[in-house]
């Protein structure tokens, strides 16, 4: 099947034409999704699409309480997507905008929305619940959702391939490290704990997002009139993380080079990032009875060997060690031979997982003859 995959980030848009797990064409639009600046590039890509397109797969960061699986978009689904806007305000509005635009351009093709939260839809209740008043939880469905599910799904499948073992026989720690970062404990192919929760703000420190901070600190800032709600939201989502600590960049590639040149703040930001990743990995590891491997994915997990080394070296308590292979250009086991807990690096291929999910949904929805 030929599937157009639509993957909006907070500041860019990735489009891929995928056929049978092969990327035939792609474009990265370096403008915020939903903005008019990228329209000519989007139109040029759409003009190259074949007439035989079978589906359009849209990545949806937050599916809310109702969108728990990849689903063909209809009016009900479109309304459910819009209802989740406040849960991920940096991401969902772009999906809504792109869905409307592309549905108008490609009205005869089924559009499938693929929630990043779907992978965590069956988290154990003890991992999903927030210890908040019952009335709050019931009224507003306050719970932990988890994110980066498309990336985790692909990484778990590839880990099984690399280790030569069935996925349902593996207990894995998986870290998706990129502009947005989270970690996950996977037991026999299922998510059993993860670092992100109700929104994509909890857990690991990220490029511009703070990750977990003391909620009492946030209450103090608001109660004492130090910041408005809008200022607090902007600060937590756009001015924190690596950017907030370094004061210079949110990109680990820039910070690694700056640290080598003696930039103390850059070095400190990278050290805190590695510490926060280790801390979250150790936390979710408590949901496993053993660890078969650590899988690193996402742009940083795949292509930043300094981070991989720092993370593995600092997790000796879990049986991990450093000395990782820094020179590879393919998915691989990068720990030394005989490592008690192997370390793997897997390139994030959300476009392939999007295409796989959409193709499955469209085939299941097709009338039987």
């Amino acid at each position: 099947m030929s599937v157009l995959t639509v993957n909006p980030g907070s500041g860019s848009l990735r489009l891929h034409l995928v056929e049978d797990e092969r990327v035939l064409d792609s474009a990265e639009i370096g403008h915020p999704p939903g903005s008019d600046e990228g329209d000519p590039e989007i139109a040029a890509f759409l003009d190259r699409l074949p007439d035989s397109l079978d589906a359009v797969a849209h990545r949806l960061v937050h599916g809310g309480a109702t969108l728990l699986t990849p689903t063909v978009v209809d009016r009900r689904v479109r309304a459910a997507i819009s209802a989740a806007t406040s849960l991920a305000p940096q991401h969902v509005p772009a999906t809504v905008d792109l869905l409307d635009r592309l549905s108008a351009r490609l009205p005869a093709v089924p559009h499938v929305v693929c929630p990043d939260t779907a992978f965590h839809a069956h988290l154990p209740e003890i991992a999903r619940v927030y210890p908040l008043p019952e009335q709050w939880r019931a009224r507003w469905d306050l719970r932990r959702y988890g994110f980066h599910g498309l990336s985790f799904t692909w990484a778990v499948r590839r880990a099984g391939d690399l280790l030569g073992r069935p996925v349902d026989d593996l207990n894995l720690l998986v870290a998706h490290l990129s502009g947005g970062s989270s970690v996950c404990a996977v037991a026999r192919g299922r998510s059993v704990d993860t670092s992100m929760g109700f929104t994509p703000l909890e857990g690991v420190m990220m490029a511009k997002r703070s990750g977990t901070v003391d909620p009492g600190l946030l209450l103090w800032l608001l109660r004492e009139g130090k910041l408005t709600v809008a200022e607090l939201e902007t600060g937590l989502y756009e001015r924190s993380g690596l950017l907030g600590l370094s004061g210079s960049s949110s990109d680990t590639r820039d910070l690694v080079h700056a640290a080598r040149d003696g930039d103390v703040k850059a070095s400190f930001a990278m050290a805190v990032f590695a510490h926060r990743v280790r801390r979250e990995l150790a936390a979710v590891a408590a949901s496993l009875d053993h660890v078969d491997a650590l899988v690193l994915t996402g742009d940083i997990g795949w292509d930043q060997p300094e981070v991989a080394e720092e993370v593995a070296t600092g997790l000796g308590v879990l049986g991990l060690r450093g000395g990782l292979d820094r020179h590879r250009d393919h998915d691989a086991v990068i720990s030394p031979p005989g490592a008690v807990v192997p370390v793997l690096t897997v390139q994030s291929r959300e476009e392939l997982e999007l295409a796989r999910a959409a193709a499955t949904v469209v085939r299941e929805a097709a009338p039987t003859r």
Side-chain angles (χ1 to χ4, degrees):
M1 296 185 74
S2 295
V3 180
L4 166 62
T5 67
V6 183
N7 190 345
S10 56
S12 63
L13 169 66
R14 295 175 182 176
L15 302 172
H16 293 85
L17 175 62
V18 180
E19 184 175 287
D20 300 327
E21 293 201 355
R22 293 179 299 123
V23 174
L24 304 184
D25 199 356
S26 64
E28 181 158 358
I29 315 301
H31 301 285
S35 65
D36 295 335
E37 294 96 325
D39 285 354
E41 294 170 81
I42 295 173
F45 185 83
L46 295 179
D47 287 341
R48 301 199 300 265
L49 294 177
D51 295 333
S52 58
L53 191 67
D54 294 296
V56 181
H58 297 259
R59 175 180 172 237
L60 174 64
V61 166
H62 207 312
T66 57
L67 295 176
L68 304 180
T69 60
T71 308
V72 175
V73 177
D74 55 20
R75 260 190 261 179
R76 179 192 64 83
V77 173
R78 172 65 173 73
I81 296 170
S82 295
T85 296
S86 65
L87 301 175
Q90 283 197 321
H91 299 90
V92 175
T95 297
V96 172
D97 180 82
L98 289 164
L99 181 60
D100 290 346
R101 292 190 191 201
L102 295 177
S103 295
R105 177 69 186 264
L106 302 166
V109 181
H111 290 252
V112 179
V113 63
C114 302
D116 246 339
T117 47
F119 184 66
H120 310 285
H122 301 289
L123 274 176
E125 188 64 24
I126 59 172
R128 185 170 61 181
V129 70
Y130 281 117
L132 296 170
E134 182 178 3
Q135 297 91 333
W136 297 5
R137 289 183 279 116
R139 184 175 181 181
W140 298 302
D141 206 11
L142 304 181
R143 58 186 168 104
R144 308 186 72 252
Y145 287 96
F147 300 88
H148 295 128
L150 293 162
S151 177
F152 286 137
T153 303
W154 178 262
V156 169
R157 184 180 296 115
R158 289 294 295 132
D161 295 340
L162 293 170
L163 295 171
R165 295 173 60 182
V167 167
D168 59 8
D169 189 40
L170 288 172
N171 279 8
L172 302 171
L173 292 175
V174 190
H176 175 96
L177 307 179
S178 189
S181 298
S182 70
V183 306
C184 183
V186 178
R188 298 166 186 84
R190 294 172 68 95
S191 171
V192 294
D193 206 353
T194 189
S195 57
M196 279 184 173
F198 186 69
T199 72
L201 191 58
E202 187 179 2
V204 177
M205 162 186 162
M206 304 172 223
K208 297 180 181 179
R209 285 174 253 168
S210 65
T212 296
V213 296
D214 180 359
L217 179 153
L218 308 181
L219 289 173
W220 180 85
L221 288 170
L222 294 173
R223 186 181 62 245
E224 299 300 314
K226 307 295 184 183
L227 296 172
T228 65
V229 171
E231 289 170 336
L232 184 62
E233 183 172 48
T234 298
L236 293 174
Y237 275 100
E238 300 177 17
R239 298 178 184 172
S240 297
L242 290 167
L243 179 62
L245 289 184
S246 71
S248 58
S249 177
S250 61
D251 192 319
T252 56
R253 294 168 296 186
D254 297 337
L255 296 176
V256 166
H257 289 303
R260 287 174 182 164
D261 292 339
D263 187 324
V264 175
K265 286 187 175 181
S267 180
F268 181 68
M270 291 300 299
V272 175
F273 180 75
H275 168 74
R276 289 295 185 116
V277 173
R278 292 193 300 264
R279 189 173 187 268
E280 296 295 338
L281 283 168
V284 299
S287 293
L288 301 174
D289 56 17
H290 69 278
V291 178
D292 290 309
L294 168 64
V295 186
L296 302 173
T297 189
D299 296 338
I300 298 172
W302 164 252
D303 200 28
Q304 198 71 71
E306 296 85 357
V307 173
E309 184 70 23
E310 285 295 314
V311 169
T313 300
L315 283 175
V317 68
L318 298 180
L320 288 150
R321 296 290 183 272
L324 305 181
D325 180 9
R326 298 187 177 206
H327 306 288
R328 78 285 173 283
D329 58 2
H330 54 277
D331 296 352
V333 177
I334 58 174
S335 50
V340 175
V341 180
V343 180
L344 286 60
T345 185
V346 171
Q347 187 174 15
S348 184
R349 298 301 301 273
E350 290 174 326
E351 73 279 7
L352 298 184
E353 196 56 43
L354 279 164
R356 179 195 293 262
T360 299
V361 170
V362 170
R363 287 192 186 101
E364 290 175 349
T368 57
R369 296 183 178 180

